[in-house]
């Protein structure tokens, strides 16, 4: 023992020199969309004198490639591991898990933005619930802080990602303005699924809730509740979920296996968040963007569905009913009133509006086992298209089907190529953007008057301006969130659009 102690008592210089070299990358995990690029870099080397020179390798080049300079390019939906290996010692490595999701340009109008879409429902705007300004109370003058959540008769929310929860300014804004939040990616399948653990498990999918749990706790700490987004979606489920042995390179599983995995996954996710954070996750988007407005009717269900994804390939159109049935059963076990949504974009356009009505009928055909509680309308619109009345008309159609309605991803887009001159965003465009926010919130409030307790939430995703995207128009967020689409500037200052929304909410509020 004495000899061992003596041998261990070397000088600090000798101890440091004997430590193995270690490298650290600038990211351990990264989510990209198809076509997007990201540069991996060696962030840190221990000891500091060691070389940063590494070689790069992708475990699945079909999903994402990596260049000699560490530039990762996403090629198709799936997951891959990028490994950096020290050129001086091949035993020294660092990895980054790359998840690639589908790149979709949602809500692109079929005509020019200034034109009324041919898909606009036939009901005239006058058939929309009418406001009665003369009977509407005037806003009460006040010098108190002005908060959206205090003025609305429904939940008002926004979207967060992990980086935003670490931002003190954003946290303060979310805490003061909103009731609820949705997570941008952190509750999706490719974020929760642990493929390696699933491969070693009992056949059921294994989840890693670490990051999502941290974000839910952040919400609780700031007085916010959470909308779960999203349980089942082709574009956001981990690719291994569909394959034998959870091996993305293996063949697809059979119907029975996929059904067991779906039921296990949905039950695990719903149960986990309710048991660990009771009464915090108040809703789940069970299914996302399944309706194909240009597709043929499915032979089994009669629904117009996308048919290229693995859920459909293995289960057919009935996967939709299974998704909701498993979610309903999981919620029932919690004993809580957690609302189940179907979520989709361009819900105000024909024929999609009608196809969604058919989906509602399909899911709620059994009066003793209605599966769909709420219709979630993604709120992506342009500053100059469509007319807000088209949105109001679609909302009314869904309400008449006996379901509640939520606006889940509201973004009034404004980019240079969506401006009046198609070149740059002018002051006139900013004013038009603010007016659009006023008109669309007026529609929401009119709907809320005519159908009390039916509008569950309006969740604003295009919250902040993004001038940084002007230099990167190929970025996914450029077309989705826009450069000048916010209620607030990039430095968190309220814009005219915010004032307009606040005033509309106040004028329609059911004063006590």
């Amino acid at each position: 023992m004495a000899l061992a102690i003596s041998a261990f008592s070397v000088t600090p210089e000798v101890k440091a020199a004997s430590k193995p070299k270690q490298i650290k990358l600038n990211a351990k995990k990264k989510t990209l969309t198809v076509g997007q690029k990201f540069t991996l870099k060696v962030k840190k080397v221990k000891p500091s004198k060691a070389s940063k020179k590494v070689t790069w390798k992708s475990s699945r080049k079909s999903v994402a490639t990596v260049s000699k300079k560490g530039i990762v390019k996403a090629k198709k939906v799936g997951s891959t591991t990028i490994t950096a290996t020290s050129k001086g010692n091949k035993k020294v490595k660092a990895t980054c898990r790359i998840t690639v999701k589908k790149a979709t340009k949602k809500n692109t109008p079929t005509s020019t933005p200034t034109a009324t879409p041919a898909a606009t429902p036939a009901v005239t705007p006058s058939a929309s619930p009418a406001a009665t300004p003369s009977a509407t109370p005037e806003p009460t003058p006040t010098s108190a802080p002005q908060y959206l959540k205090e003025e609305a008769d429904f939940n008002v929310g926004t979207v967060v990602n992990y980086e935003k929860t670490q931002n003190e300014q954003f946290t303060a804004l979310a805490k003061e303005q909103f009731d609820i939040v949705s997570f941008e990616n952190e509750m999706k399948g490719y974020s929760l699924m642990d493929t390696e653990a699933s491969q070693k498990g009992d056949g059921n999918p294994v989840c890693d809730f670490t990051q999502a749990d941290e974000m839910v706790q952040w919400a609780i700490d700031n007085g916010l509740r959470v909308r779960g987004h999203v349980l089942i979606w082709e574009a956001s489920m981990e690719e291994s979920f569909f394959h034998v042995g959870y091996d993305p390179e293996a063949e697809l599983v059979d119907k029975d296996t996929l059904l067991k995995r779906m039921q296990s996954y949905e039950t695990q996710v719903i149960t986990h968040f309710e048991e660990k954070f009771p009464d915090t996750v108040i809703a789940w988007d069970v299914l996302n963007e399944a309706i194909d407005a240009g597709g043929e009717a499915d032979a089994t269900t009669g629904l117009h569905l996308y048919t290229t994804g693995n859920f459909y390939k293995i289960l057919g159109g009935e996967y939709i009913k299974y998704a909701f049935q498993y979610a309903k059963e999981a919620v029932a076990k919690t004993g809580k009133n957690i609302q189940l949504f179907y979520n989709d974009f361009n819900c105000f356009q024909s024929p999609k509006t009608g196809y969604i009505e058919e989906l509602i009928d399909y899911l709620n055909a059994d009066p003793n086992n209605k599966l769909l509680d709420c219709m979630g309308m993604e709120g992506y619109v342009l500053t100059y298209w469509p007319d807000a009345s088209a949105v109001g008309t679609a909302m009314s159609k869904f309400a008449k089907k006996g379901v509640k309605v939520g606006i889940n991803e509201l973004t009034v887009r404004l980019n240079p190529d969506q401006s009046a001159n198609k070149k740059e965003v002018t002051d006139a465009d900013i004013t038009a953007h603010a007016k659009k926010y006023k008109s669309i919130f007026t529609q929401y409030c009119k709907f809320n008057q005519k159908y009390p307790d039916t509008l569950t939430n309006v969740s604003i995703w295009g919250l902040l301006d993004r001038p940084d995207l002007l230099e990167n128009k190929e970025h996914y967020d450029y077309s989705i969130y826009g450069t000048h689409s916010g209620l607030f500037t990039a430095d968190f200052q309220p814009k005219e659009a915010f004032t307009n929304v606040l005033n509309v909410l106040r004028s329609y509020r059911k004063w006590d």
Side-chain angles (χ1 to χ4, degrees):
M1 178 66 74
L3 288 174
I5 293 174
S6 176
F8 187 76
S9 300
V10 294
T11 62
E13 289 78 8
V14 173
K15 287 173 66 179
S18 65
K19 285 186 177 181
K21 186 170 70 171
Q22 299 175 6
I23 58 177
K24 184 178 181 181
L25 302 179
N26 59 333
K28 291 183 178 180
K29 293 183 179 180
K30 186 68 177 178
T31 298
L32 305 174
T33 56
V34 175
Q36 193 175 357
K37 294 181 180 180
F38 176 72
T39 301
L40 281 171
K41 298 179 180 179
V42 177
K43 184 178 180 181
K44 186 181 294 185
V45 176
K46 293 183 180 181
S48 58
K49 293 182 180 180
S51 173
K52 288 187 176 182
K53 294 182 179 180
V54 297
T55 58
W56 301 93
K57 183 178 180 180
S58 171
S59 64
R60 295 183 67 202
K61 294 180 181 179
S62 61
V63 173
T65 58
V66 60
S67 73
K68 293 181 180 180
K69 295 183 179 181
I71 301 173
V72 180
K73 183 176 181 180
K75 300 186 71 175
K76 75 172 187 178
V77 174
S79 299
T80 185
T81 298
I82 304 297
T83 301
T85 303
S86 170
K87 286 187 175 182
N89 186 345
K90 292 185 178 180
K91 292 183 179 181
V92 178
K93 300 179 180 181
T95 62
C96 176
R97 185 66 169 172
I98 299 293
T99 300
V100 180
K101 63 181 182 179
K102 182 180 179 182
T104 56
K105 290 189 176 182
K106 304 175 185 175
N107 309 75
T108 301
T110 54
S111 56
T112 58
T114 55
T116 302
T120 301
V123 182
T124 60
S126 60
S128 300
T132 53
S134 59
T136 302
E138 291 297 322
T140 302
T142 176
S143 58
Q146 299 178 328
Y147 305 141
L148 298 176
K149 66 181 182 183
E150 300 296 337
E151 302 297 343
D153 291 319
F154 40 82
N155 284 327
V156 184
T158 191
V159 64
V160 299
N161 54 34
Y162 184 78
E163 287 75 19
K164 286 181 178 178
T165 64
Q166 308 305 299
N167 184 303
E168 291 183 3
Q169 280 185 288
F170 181 88
T171 297
L173 181 65
K175 181 177 182 178
E176 73 177 16
Q177 293 292 340
F178 302 114
D179 307 287
I180 56 175
V181 288
S182 304
F183 296 171
E184 189 170 27
N185 294 310
E186 291 83 356
M187 279 185 168
K188 292 175 179 175
Y190 55 58
S191 296
L192 297 182
M193 270 280 295
D194 186 331
T195 292
E196 185 175 350
S198 298
Q199 290 171 343
K200 299 175 182 178
D202 59 3
N204 290 318
V206 177
C207 296
D208 181 354
F209 296 104
T210 304
Q211 189 172 75
D213 283 354
E214 185 177 340
M215 293 177 66
V216 174
Q217 188 59 56
W218 169 88
I220 293 172
D221 293 344
N222 289 285
L224 296 157
R225 291 193 292 176
V226 178
R227 294 191 72 264
H229 178 76
V230 51
L231 289 174
I232 300 296
W233 184 25
E234 297 281 5
S236 70
M237 181 51 73
E238 181 74 5
E239 179 65 24
S240 64
F241 188 80
F242 303 103
H243 295 269
V244 173
Y246 295 95
D247 178 0
E249 301 295 341
E251 63 183 7
L252 295 175
V253 297
D254 59 24
K255 178 177 180 179
D256 288 342
T257 301
L258 184 56
L259 288 177
K260 289 177 182 177
R261 290 183 182 181
M262 282 178 66
Q263 185 171 29
S264 175
Y265 176 78
E266 292 186 66
T267 302
Q268 284 185 62
V269 173
I270 291 172
T271 302
H272 169 83
F273 289 109
E274 182 54 40
E275 289 183 348
K276 189 165 185 177
F277 309 101
D279 303 314
T280 299
V281 180
I282 61 173
W284 277 100
D285 293 331
V286 176
L287 188 67
N288 205 52
E289 300 176 7
I291 295 293
D292 181 3
E296 298 293 328
D298 172 65
T300 303
T301 65
L303 302 175
H304 294 73
L305 306 173
Y306 290 109
T307 61
T308 57
N310 287 328
F311 281 116
Y312 187 91
K313 287 179 181 178
I314 299 171
L315 301 175
E318 290 181 315
Y319 87 87
I320 290 183
K321 184 170 287 187
Y322 289 121
F324 276 91
Q325 183 64 48
Y326 294 150
K328 183 175 181 178
E329 291 170 358
V331 168
K333 290 178 181 178
T334 70
K336 300 297 177 65
N337 181 27
I338 301 173
Q339 296 178 322
L340 302 180
F341 280 72
Y342 172 69
N343 193 54
D344 214 332
F345 62 93
N346 281 2
C347 301
F348 53 84
Q349 280 192 282
S350 179
K352 195 164 188 175
T353 306
Y355 293 164
I356 291 173
E357 290 179 280
E358 292 172 356
L359 174 67
I360 296 171
D361 290 340
Y362 171 75
L363 291 172
N364 290 346
D366 184 351
N368 299 314
N369 186 35
K370 292 186 175 183
L371 301 177
L372 180 67
D373 299 319
C374 310
M375 178 58 214
M377 299 175 64
E378 295 180 16
Y380 295 101
V381 295
L382 306 183
T383 297
Y384 296 106
W385 178 92
D387 189 90
S389 63
V391 176
T393 299
M395 293 172 72
S396 296
K397 287 189 174 185
F398 300 145
K400 290 174 182 177
K401 288 291 181 180
V403 297
K404 294 181 182 293
V405 178
I407 307 298
N408 290 339
E409 303 181 26
L410 177 61
T411 304
V412 179
R413 292 172 175 151
L414 180 56
N415 281 331
D417 53 1
Q418 297 162 349
S419 64
N421 63 22
K422 304 294 188 296
K423 296 179 181 179
E424 61 181 349
V425 175
T426 66
D427 289 343
D429 293 317
I430 298 295
T431 298
H433 177 263
K435 288 181 178 178
K436 185 56 167 283
Y437 253 114
K438 179 179 180 179
S439 64
I440 203 161
F441 263 86
T442 298
Q443 287 295 323
Y444 299 155
C445 290
K446 286 181 178 181
F447 173 85
N448 194 50
Q449 278 190 337
K450 186 170 183 179
Y451 301 97
D453 302 317
T454 300
L455 182 58
T456 60
N457 65 283
V458 176
S459 294
I460 302 163
W461 283 33
L463 184 64
L464 301 171
D465 283 351
R466 293 285 306 276
D468 58 295
L469 295 172
L470 289 170
E471 304 302 322
N472 189 8
K473 294 184 179 181
E474 299 302 315
H475 195 287
Y476 178 75
D477 288 354
Y478 178 82
S479 60
I480 297 299
Y481 296 123
T483 58
H484 293 74
S485 306
L487 289 181
F488 296 84
T489 63
D491 57 353
F492 298 91
Q493 297 304 306
K495 296 167 57 180
E496 183 182 357
F498 171 79
T499 303
N500 283 355
V501 169
L502 194 74
N503 288 338
V504 170
L505 292 174
R506 182 178 290 123
S507 66
Y508 279 90
R509 183 172 174 80
K510 301 171 186 174
W511 295 97
D512 296 328

